[in-house]
Amino acid sequence: LRMYIGRGTKVYLLPLRHRGQVSFDITALCPDGAWSPEVSRDDVLATVEGFDERLVAITRGLDMAGVNVRAVYDIDPVETWHSDSVVLVGDAAHSMLHHQGQGANSAIEDAGALADALREASSVREALARYQAVRKPETDKLQAISRQGWSEEEIEDVFPGQKPADAAPKE
Ligand SMILES: Cc1cc2nc3c(=O)[nH]c(=O)nc-3n(C[C@H](O)[C@H](O)[C@H](O)COP(=O)(O)OP(=O)(O)OC[C@H]3O[C@@H](n4cnc5c(N)ncnc54)[C@H](O)[C@@H]3O)c2cc1C
């Protein structure tokens, strides 16, 4: 994996060895809150302006018909993950941006920690509290790290007066 970061934009090159392909992924702040924003080649070129010329050349050569454009969102840490009998795991508890590749990994670790807590605690209520106490400090950190690269000023510039989560389309 290679990642290039600048001005709120991240560019990844991810080898897909089993397919003999390379995934070329650009993540940028976008004021359009749609799940699938309309993006032209010129928009994408403007996003990578100032990056290494090889990245600009790859972008210029993209077949836009084969480019998948989708929105990604994260959430602020959730204070409580459980009631006495219902509990959140995975993205429902701590959805994070994908930049550290930790979302699915965290969901799997949640499941393991929850199983351990249910085995060890003397009640469901105690198990759920124990599970949260073990996992939340880890995922709070991962959520913060996964947001890094976009400063508060950059977020304010694109989403004035809003938090990124507020930019999601309302159902
Ligand atoms: C672009 C991108 C790249 C990523 N790369 C990585 C990576 O490299 N490594 C990594 O670890 N993670 C990565 N992730 C994150 C990972 O995909 C998620 O963290 C993970 O899928 C979360 O699993 P989950 O089971 O909690 O939620 P989900 O996978 O979202 O599962 C929730 C399920 O519930 C279903 N559902 C929703 N509402 C209802 C309903 N009302 N009734 C019934 N079913 C419902 C949904 O259809 C879905 O199938 C990436 C995410 C993105 C967007």
Side-chain angles (χ1 to χ4, degrees), residues 29 31 151-162:
L29 290 168
S151 66
E152 288 297 323
E153 297 81 65
E154 283 167 332
I155 291 175
E156 179 59 26
D157 189 35
V158 180
F159 306 106
Q162 305 174 51

Side-chain angles (χ1 to χ4, degrees), residues 70 72 89-92 98 101-105 107:
R70 63 188 165 196
V72 287
V89 296
D91 276 13
H98 54 296
Q102 288 300 313
N105 289 298

Side-chain angles (χ1 to χ4, degrees), residues 14 25 70-72 89-107:
L14 179 69
D25 181 307
R70 63 188 165 196
V72 287
V89 296
D91 276 13
H94 46 64
S95 94
M96 60 188 78
L97 292 171
H98 54 296
H99 303 137
Q100 303 297 323
Q102 288 300 313
N105 289 298
S106 296

